[in-house]
Amino acid sequence: MNLHLIYFSPGGTTKKTVMNIAKGFPSSNVQKIDMLRKSNREKIFEFGKEDVIILGMMTATKLFGVPNEVIGALKGNDTPFVGIVTCGNGYYGSSLKVMTKAMEKRGFKMVAAGGFIGQYSFSDKIASGRPDEADEIVQKKFGEDIYHKLIVNNDRTFKHKLKIDWPNEGAFSAFKCALISALPGLGFGLPKSWNELEISNDCIQCGKCVKICPVEALTLDGTIQQDRDLCFGCQACNRGCPKGAIKPVSSKLIKSINNVTPYRTTRKEPIVFI
Ligand SMILES: Cc1cc2nc3c(=O)[nH]c(=O)nc-3n(C[C@H](O)[C@H](O)[C@H](O)COP(=O)(O)O)c2cc1C
């Protein structure tokens, strides 16, 4: 068996989640594919029946960012896959449903799925430090269960009907979730009018943000410049800056974060389907 860990993880919590699940597999041949890298999204990775894929993506009600490029780079041949989505202690909406349908069209067969919690991309006050030790235990056990089902018992069935994970954040959020879920397309990004970044004087021009940006929206030319037409607001730059010098400043975005904060302070637990 060859295990392939594939993730689109601007802030690193989705990657950590996928890695923790893989710890439940006995040491096997492991390949990691980081889909933040545009060069990986431009390739075609083809897999067979003996491969096992764990695909992790972050959510914004639907899959976030460029899921068409991520999933479009994968081709299966009746290949078993585990679908993982992460959200910031809110809700993952229709992400798992969307991921499953798109992956099945690409030749993959879902064998297990999970919705996990990662620190909220915009704030260290929501889901701070997650996935944490308690999450890691659940994630490793989930990996062990997948291995047992798939490899030990050779069971490739999946009997669950995945549903929308609705917000518990008032009528407006429920309406937004229904609307976004009904829109065509695999993914949803931050509206352009919300994506403005401020680079403070703490910036040391190390260029880490330029390297990590999945869509080449930042350049270093004496100072850091943001191309707001390319940026979709994933916060990889913000979360990856060693000096904390990059912050979103849109007043609409800040208002929206403040609105959801009271609903997202109570710890939510992961959900797994196997
Ligand atoms: C633009 C944007 C929208 C988001 N929308 C949601 C959401 O609807 N519900 C939620 O719980 N978390 C939401 N999040 C939070 C992320 O899904 C969550 O923090 C995730 O763990 C980030 O994964 P990463 O660390 O791999 O980037 C959003 C994050 C971003 C950047």
Side-chain angles (χ1 to χ4, degrees), residues 8-17 36 56-62 64 85-93 116-122 126-127 130-131 165 169 176 180 188-191 232-236 239 253 264 268:
F8 181 83
S9 180
T13 66
T14 311
K15 175 177 175 182
K16 206 168 167 191
T17 299
L36 269 196
M57 299 186 72
M58 64 165 285
T59 76
T61 305
K62 270 189 175 175
F64 179 81
V85 295
T86 52
C87 70
N89 210 44
Y91 54 97
Y92 60 80
F116 290 88
I117 316 297
Q119 180 168 318
Y120 190 49
S121 319
F122 296 108
I126 300 180
R130 297 189 71 184
D165 178 35
E169 304 180 352
K176 225 173 54 185
I180 294 170
F188 190 73
L190 195 65
F232 53 55
C234 72
Q235 305 306 307
R239 309 269 303 140
L253 174 66
R264 298 192 185 176
K268 294 206 165 119

Side-chain angles (χ1 to χ4, degrees), residues 123-198:
S123 163
D124 54 12
K125 293 192 182 72
I126 300 180
S128 184
R130 297 189 71 184
D132 56 16
E133 269 178 47
D135 290 312
E136 185 176 341
I137 292 169
V138 175
Q139 291 163 355
K140 184 167 178 255
K141 164 84 170 57
F142 183 43
E144 286 165 1
D145 290 346
I146 299 166
Y147 180 81
H148 202 80
K149 169 179 168 169
L150 204 57
I151 308 301
V152 179
N153 291 346
N154 194 22
D155 174 2
R156 294 184 173 211
T157 58
F158 186 72
K159 297 199 174 94
H160 302 272
K161 189 160 167 40
L162 296 173
K163 298 198 178 113
I164 292 182
D165 178 35
W166 291 99
N168 188 14
E169 304 180 352
F172 182 63
S173 287
F175 172 73
K176 225 173 54 185
C177 178
L179 188 70
I180 294 170
S181 299
L183 289 173
L186 304 184
F188 190 73
L190 195 65
K192 294 242 179 293
S193 57
W194 294 31
N195 74 3
E196 188 183 356
L197 296 172
E198 186 177 81

